[in-house]
Amino acid sequence: MQKLEREVEISFTLSQGNGGQNVNKVATAVQLRFDVVNSALLTDHARATILASGDSRLTKDGVLVLRAQEFRTQVKNKLAALERLKELIDSASEVRKKRRPTRPSRGAKERRLKQKTVRATIKQGRGKVDF
């Protein structure tokens, strides 16, 4: 986490929402800026994944901007923003298995068709009644 803290730029701003007069006086909201393009922490795969994600928090220069203001203290908001960044990096670093296309089995096809005929007869029974 300390390596991560060295690569981020943190600034504090006035928060929105609940907090009474404290919101107007104390800058508790955290704005965290992380340079994805020039980061030494990220692997090439993770960097490409984050940049290709189309996240609205990414700037044109490849800087990720996170804002945290859930808590009333700077420390808690800073930890929340760092934790969110860590989770984002971890999920981008994960190499996902390639999906192998499969076909439904013969039994699955038969069950589906049988269920369709059952539903069709139920719905047909809801029609007009002739006397």
Side-chain angles (χ1 to χ4, degrees), residues 17 21 32 86 95:
Q21 287 185 347
L32 182 141
K86 185 178 177 299
V95 179

Side-chain angles (χ1 to χ4, degrees), residues 95-123:
V95 179
R96 291 177 180 84
K97 278 197 330 193
K98 188 174 181 184
R99 183 189 174 278
R100 287 193 340 226
T102 58
R103 291 198 174 126
S105 66
R106 181 190 220 171
K109 285 180 185 175
E110 289 173 0
R111 285 190 298 273
R112 182 180 64 85
L113 292 174
K114 184 178 180 209
Q115 187 60 38
K116 279 176 67 107
T117 55
V118 167
R119 289 292 299 162
T121 55
I122 289 172
K123 287 185 173 191

Side-chain angles (χ1 to χ4, degrees), residues 9-96:
E9 182 184 315
I10 295 176
S11 59
F12 298 99
T13 59
L14 290 176
S15 185
Q16 298 172 332
N18 298 339
Q21 287 185 347
N22 195 50
V23 169
N24 303 326
K25 295 189 297 184
V26 185
T28 55
V30 174
Q31 187 178 34
L32 182 141
R33 298 176 67 80
F34 178 69
D35 191 358
V36 176
V37 176
N38 299 319
S39 175
L41 289 176
L42 296 176
T43 62
D44 291 335
H45 171 73
R47 181 176 293 111
T49 304
I50 292 172
L51 291 174
S53 69
D55 196 330
S56 62
R57 299 172 295 187
L58 269 173
T59 65
K60 291 178 184 174
D61 304 327
V63 176
L64 185 69
V65 180
L66 296 177
R67 185 169 165 85
Q69 60 182 15
E70 303 91 56
F71 302 104
R72 291 186 179 197
T73 63
Q74 284 183 352
V75 175
K76 284 185 179 179
N77 282 329
K78 179 182 171 185
L79 291 174
L82 286 169
E83 187 60 34
R84 262 195 265 158
L85 178 62
K86 185 178 177 299
E87 287 173 7
L88 193 134
I89 291 172
D90 288 346
S91 69
S93 299
E94 205 174 88
V95 179
R96 291 177 180 84

